[in-house]
C-alpha cells in the first residue's frame, strides 16, 4: 500500500509540475504577444508624425540585397493617387536626407538605438542611395561595397520589418 501511495504521489507531483510549467509558458507567450502588439501600435503612432501617408493603406517592403537593399513603399490600392503621391514625396525626401547622413526620421519612429541606424548615419558617404518612383509608390535602393554597412542595412531592414508588423514584408 505504501508503494502505491508513493507512486501515486510522485505521479501527481510530476503532473502538477508539468501543468504549472505549461501555464507559466502560456502566460509568458501571451505576455510576449501583448508586448509585440503594443510595440507595433507605438511604432504606428510615432510613424504617423513622420510619414504623411496612411500606414493602413500602404505596404512597406524591405528586401536585403547582396550589395545593400531595396526599401519599397506601395499603396495597397493602385488607384489611390493621393497615397501614391504622399509616398513618392516622402521617399524622395528621405533619400535626400539619408544621402547626407540624416536618419532622424527612422530614429524618431523606431528609437535612437535601432539596429544599424548609427552605422548608416556615420557611413552614409559610402552608400549610394537612389530614389525611384513606381506606378503605385516609390523605392529607395541602397548600394555599398562596405561589408559592415551591408550588415547594418540588413539589420536596419530586419528591425523595420519587425517593428512595422503586418504593414511590412
Amino acid at each position: 500500500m505504501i508503494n502505491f501511495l508513493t507512486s501515486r504521489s510522485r505521479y501527481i507531483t510530476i503532473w502538477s509540475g508539468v501543468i504549472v510549467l505549461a501555464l507559466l509558458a502560456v502566460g509568458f507567450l501571451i505576455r510576449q504577444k501583448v508586448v509585440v502588439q503594443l510595440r507595433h501600435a507605438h511604432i504606428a503612432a510615432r510613424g504617423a508624425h513622420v510619414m504623411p501617408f496612411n500606414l493602413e493603406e500602404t505596404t512597406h517592403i524591405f528586401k536585403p540585397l547582396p550589395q545593400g537593399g531595396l526599401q519599397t513603399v506601395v499603396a495597397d490600392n493602385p488607384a489611390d493617387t493621393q497615397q501614391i503621391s504622399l509616398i513618392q514625396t516622402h521617399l524622395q525626401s528621405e533619400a535626400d536626407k539619408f544621402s547626407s547622413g540624416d536618419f532622424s526620421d527612422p530614429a524618431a519612429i523606431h528609437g535612437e538605438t535601432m539596429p544599424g541606424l548609427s552605422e548608416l548615419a556615420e557611413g552614409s558617404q559610402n552608400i549610394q542611395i537612389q530614389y525611384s518612383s513606381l506606378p503605385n509608390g516609390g523605392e529607395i535602393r541602397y548600394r555599398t561595397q562596405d561589408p559592415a554597412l551591408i550588415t547594418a542595412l540588413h539589420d536596419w531592414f530586419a528591425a523595420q520589418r519587425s517593428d512595422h508588423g503586418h504593414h511590412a514584408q
Side-chain angles (χ1 to χ4, degrees):
M1 188 72 166
I2 294 175
N3 284 342
F4 172 75
L5 290 176
T6 305
S7 295
R8 186 169 185 212
S9 294
R10 282 188 193 148
Y11 179 79
I12 291 170
T13 301
I14 289 170
W15 277 107
S16 295
V18 168
I19 290 169
V20 167
L21 288 175
L23 290 172
L24 287 172
V26 167
F28 175 77
L29 292 174
I30 289 170
R31 181 183 177 281
Q32 289 302 104
K33 185 175 181 176
V34 169
V35 167
V36 168
Q37 289 173 338
L38 288 172
R39 173 75 179 166
H40 289 167
H42 179 71
I43 293 300
R46 287 174 128 188
H49 295 289
V50 174
M51 298 178 286
F53 47 83
N54 187 327
L55 200 57
E56 295 297 329
E57 296 177 13
T58 58
T59 300
H60 297 236
I61 304 160
F62 301 95
K63 183 177 180 182
L65 299 171
Q67 292 185 329
L70 185 63
Q71 174 183 2
T72 307
V73 180
V74 295
D76 294 338
N77 176 357
D80 188 343
T81 57
Q82 179 184 10
Q83 291 304 313
I84 293 167
S85 177
L86 292 170
I87 291 166
Q88 291 171 343
T89 301
H90 176 70
L91 289 184
Q92 176 67 66
S93 174
E94 290 298 276
D96 292 343
K97 289 179 180 179
F98 296 164
S99 292
S100 67
D102 180 355
F103 285 79
S104 59
D105 285 346
I109 297 171
H110 303 275
E112 295 287 337
T113 60
M114 181 182 198
L117 195 59
S118 63
E119 294 89 341
L120 296 174
E122 291 170 12
S124 65
Q125 69 279 1
N126 296 317
I127 307 171
Q128 294 174 330
I129 300 173
Q130 180 183 4
Y131 166 78
S132 298
S133 292
L134 299 172
N136 59 343
E139 65 184 16
I140 302 174
R141 181 175 297 273
Y142 304 85
R143 289 188 187 103
T144 183
Q145 298 299 315
D146 185 330
L149 290 173
I150 293 169
T151 299
L153 275 164
H154 292 179
D155 291 347
W156 185 52
F157 277 13
Q160 290 194 69
R161 282 192 305 271
S162 174
D163 273 355
H164 285 292
H166 72 276
H167 298 120
Q169 299 176 4

